[in-house]
Amino acid sequence: MSTLRGGDRKIDWAELSAKLPSSRSAKDKQKRRQIFNGMDMNGNGYLSLAEVDKGVRDVLKADDLFDCKPAMLRAFNAVKDTAPSHTPHSDDYVTRSEFRLLMVSLRQMFELWQMFEMIDTGDDRRVDEKEFTQATPLIEKWGVKIEDPSATFKQIDKNGGGQVLFNEFVDWALKKGLDLEDDDD
C-alpha cells in the first residue's frame, strides 16, 4: 500500500487492479463487458468522459480513482481515438474496442498521479523546483537517477512556467519509465 503525505490516503493496489481488468483472458473480457455496459448509460456503444467519470464511482466503486480527475482525464484522452473511427463522433469517445486500453491507462495514470502528489508537497497540483529537488531520492526509488535536479526540472517544465504540471510530469515519467515501488505491478 502507498501512503501519501503523512497518511492522507492508503491505496490498496491489488484491489484497484482487480477493479480494472485489463488482461486478454476470457474472465477479464467478461468483466470488461459488464463494466462497459454498466458505464454506457445511454446504450449507444460509446463512453463519454462523463460516463467514465460516473462509472468509476458507481460501477467500479473506485473512490480513490474517482477523486483523481486529472488522471482520469489524461487516461480518457490517451485512448479515446486509438481505434479506427466508425462514425464521425467516435474519436471523441471511448469505444468498446478501446475499453481494455482505458483500463490499462486508468491504472497507469492513477499511479503517476500518486507519484505527482507525493512530490507536490504544497498540495497545489503544481511542482516547483524546490519540491522536485527535495523529491529526488523518492524519484530514484521509482527508477530514475537524477544527476542535476535543476536541469531535469527545466527539461520537464516544457512551458517554462517555473512549475511542473501533471501533464508535463506524465510526459516525462512515461519516457523515463517511472514505477512506484509498492504498487504491486
Side-chain angles (χ1 to χ4, degrees), residues 56-67:
V56 165
R57 184 191 66 207
D58 298 346
V59 177
L60 295 177
K61 299 190 184 325
D63 293 336
D64 288 326
L65 181 55
F66 178 75
D67 292 337

Side-chain angles (χ1 to χ4, degrees), residues 7-66:
D8 286 2
R9 181 184 313 168
K10 291 184 188 240
I11 306 300
D12 184 335
W13 291 101
E15 179 184 333
L16 181 66
S17 292
K19 290 179 178 183
L20 299 169
S22 60
S23 81
R24 296 182 191 274
S25 72
K27 182 180 174 184
D28 275 8
K29 284 180 184 179
Q30 179 60 31
K31 284 183 189 176
R32 281 194 304 276
R33 191 173 302 118
Q34 290 172 340
I35 293 168
F36 187 94
N37 291 341
M39 288 184 174
D40 187 12
M41 304 299 169
N42 57 11
N44 67 355
Y46 300 103
L47 296 179
S48 66
L49 178 59
E51 287 173 313
V52 170
D53 184 52
K54 185 173 178 0
V56 165
R57 184 191 66 207
D58 298 346
V59 177
L60 295 177
K61 299 190 184 325
D63 293 336
D64 288 326
L65 181 55
F66 178 75

Side-chain angles (χ1 to χ4, degrees), residues 34-179:
Q34 290 172 340
I35 293 168
F36 187 94
N37 291 341
M39 288 184 174
D40 187 12
M41 304 299 169
N42 57 11
N44 67 355
Y46 300 103
L47 296 179
S48 66
L49 178 59
E51 287 173 313
V52 170
D53 184 52
K54 185 173 178 0
V56 165
R57 184 191 66 207
D58 298 346
V59 177
L60 295 177
K61 299 190 184 325
D63 293 336
D64 288 326
L65 181 55
F66 178 75
D67 292 337
C68 294
K69 301 301 186 210
M72 200 178 320
L73 178 62
R74 179 73 188 234
F76 180 85
N77 284 328
V79 303
K80 69 181 169 86
D81 60 356
T82 55
S85 296
H86 298 293
T87 70
H89 306 292
S90 61
D91 283 348
D92 297 328
Y93 301 95
V94 172
T95 62
R96 193 174 295 276
S97 62
E98 296 165 328
F99 193 63
R100 187 186 75 76
L101 292 177
L102 180 65
M103 298 288 100
V104 171
S105 190
L106 282 169
R107 170 68 174 72
Q108 183 178 42
M109 292 305 130
F110 184 66
E111 179 181 349
L112 292 173
W113 178 256
Q114 298 313 307
M115 292 177 191
F116 186 78
E117 276 197 326
M118 287 182 215
I119 297 169
D120 175 24
T121 57
D123 201 24
D124 59 358
R125 295 187 171 197
R126 301 176 298 181
V127 172
D128 62 30
E129 189 171 345
K130 180 180 175 188
E131 289 170 316
F132 184 79
T133 300
Q134 289 173 340
T136 301
L138 196 55
I139 295 167
E140 289 182 1
K141 283 185 186 177
W142 301 333
V144 175
K145 178 99 173 104
I146 298 176
E147 299 294 333
D148 183 348
S150 181
T152 303
F153 179 84
K154 288 176 178 67
Q155 184 182 44
I156 300 168
D157 181 20
K158 292 289 186 196
N159 68 5
Q163 303 281 333
V164 170
L165 305 176
F166 179 62
N167 280 334
E168 293 171 318
F169 177 75
V170 167
D171 291 342
W172 176 77
L174 290 174
K175 286 178 192 165
K176 295 295 183 178
L178 262 62
D179 184 37

